[in-house]
Amino acid sequence: MRIVLFGPPGAGKGTQSKLLRERYQATIIATGDMLREEVHQETPLGREVRRYMEQGMLVPDELVIGMVERRLRRLKNGRFVLDGFPRTVAQAEALGRLLARLHLPLQAVISLEVPAEEIIWRLSQRRICDACGETFHLTFRPPPEDGRCPVCGKGPIIQRPDDRPEAIARRLAVYEAQTEPVKAYYATNGLLHRVSGLGEVEEVHRRIVKLLEGRPALATM
Ligand code: AMP
């Protein structure tokens, strides 16, 4: 499987990619997580991208494209789920060229559709483990009171700086202006499939699986 999971911040791309990884042994390429790791490690790239991320702005295309290219070249079994990339039409075009060179053409773009009010609610309730990135939700999956992450045993559990209200508003505006057009780009070449991102995690997962397995080539290649 070679797919893009597409959607606004907070649509559930991270959660759904993990379930797809389990089911199809695909590698997750999540640019937001990779960039946060660079910031955490204080690498030269991390120092360059930090302020864009904290303000909820997009990191320059060439930096993200280079990072994705390096990751795709190390791929083992040719199966991937891209999460959070591409976020601009220029990135989508660069991805197309890169995948053609690697003989790994994209099979589908799954757009998780979630209304704006729900997105704002989800992002403001989101907390993450600062060590491993595991996500929590103050209402539906409250973080442990002792601040120790149940997944990695570390922590602390924090609010992402870009999940604060000012940054959320910026990210949604950036999404509308720069990322939404990517959907039209993939709709014109027939790769786009829309799936409702509302409801329980498992329910959304089943919708995606149904879509993929209704097209056997997508799930098995
Ligand atoms: P995410 O975890 O996917 O919400 O990404 C967090 C932040 O990382 C975004 O708000 C951007 O600042 C940056 N980022 C992640 N992916 C990309 C991308 N494909 N292009 C540009 N910036 C990105």
Side-chain angles (χ1 to χ4, degrees):
M1 70 147 37
R2 299 185 297 273
I3 64 170
V4 169
L5 260 193
F6 188 85
K13 303 187 293 296
T15 306
Q16 294 299 328
S17 8
K18 286 184 195 139
L19 295 175
L20 291 173
R21 172 175 62 194
E22 298 308 307
R23 195 175 172 104
Y24 301 110
Q25 290 80 50
T27 298
I28 298 176
I29 304 180
T31 47
D33 289 346
M34 291 162 80
L35 290 166
R36 270 188 293 281
E37 185 57 24
E38 300 279 343
V39 171
H40 212 250
Q41 303 287 336
E42 297 186 22
T43 63
L45 176 62
R47 279 196 285 273
E48 206 169 340
V49 301
R50 183 186 191 127
R51 64 194 163 88
Y52 293 102
M53 295 180 72
E54 285 186 352
Q55 291 171 15
M57 291 165 61
L58 293 186
V59 164
D61 284 338
E62 63 279 10
L63 298 180
V64 189
I65 292 166
M67 189 178 76
V68 170
E69 172 160 8
R70 290 191 289 282
R71 186 64 194 89
L72 279 171
R73 288 188 181 281
R74 287 196 288 117
L75 206 63
K76 282 193 239 75
N77 62 4
R79 296 174 173 216
F80 61 79
V81 177
L82 278 164
D83 160 3
F85 182 92
R87 258 177 159 96
T88 62
V89 172
Q91 290 179 14
E93 289 170 348
L95 177 67
R97 288 192 295 271
L98 173 61
L99 293 178
R101 281 205 300 280
L102 298 174
H103 305 290
L104 296 171
L106 201 58
Q107 295 170 313
V109 175
I110 297 174
S111 170
L112 286 176
E113 309 271 321
V114 179
E117 316 81 73
E118 170 79 10
I119 291 294
I120 294 167
W121 155 250
R122 287 188 189 180
L123 292 177
S124 57
Q125 295 270 306
R126 179 161 73 181
R127 298 294 181 273
I128 66 163
C129 169
D130 196 30
C132 73
E134 184 67 13
T135 54
F136 302 88
H137 182 289
L138 291 182
T139 308
F140 298 125
R141 191 181 178 222
E145 284 183 6
D146 64 4
R148 184 192 291 262
C149 173
V151 174
C152 71
K154 298 186 198 144
I157 312 294
I158 58 158
Q159 182 172 39
R160 274 171 50 172
D162 60 351
D163 279 346
R164 300 207 179 104
E166 331 72 75
I168 292 179
R170 171 76 61 78
R171 285 162 73 206
L172 290 179
V174 165
Y175 178 80
E176 285 280 311
Q178 292 176 267
T179 306
E180 184 76 26
V182 174
K183 219 152 94 173
Y185 173 86
Y186 285 124
T188 51
N189 62 19
L191 285 174
L192 187 77
H193 303 275
R194 296 169 204 266
V195 170
S196 165
L198 289 176
E200 301 276 327
V201 167
E202 282 299 331
E203 208 178 317
V204 177
H205 176 61
R206 279 195 296 274
R207 286 180 202 133
I208 298 176
V209 167
K210 193 166 162 216
L211 173 86
L212 293 174
E213 299 191 353
R215 295 170 177 71
L218 294 186
T220 54
M221 279 174 76

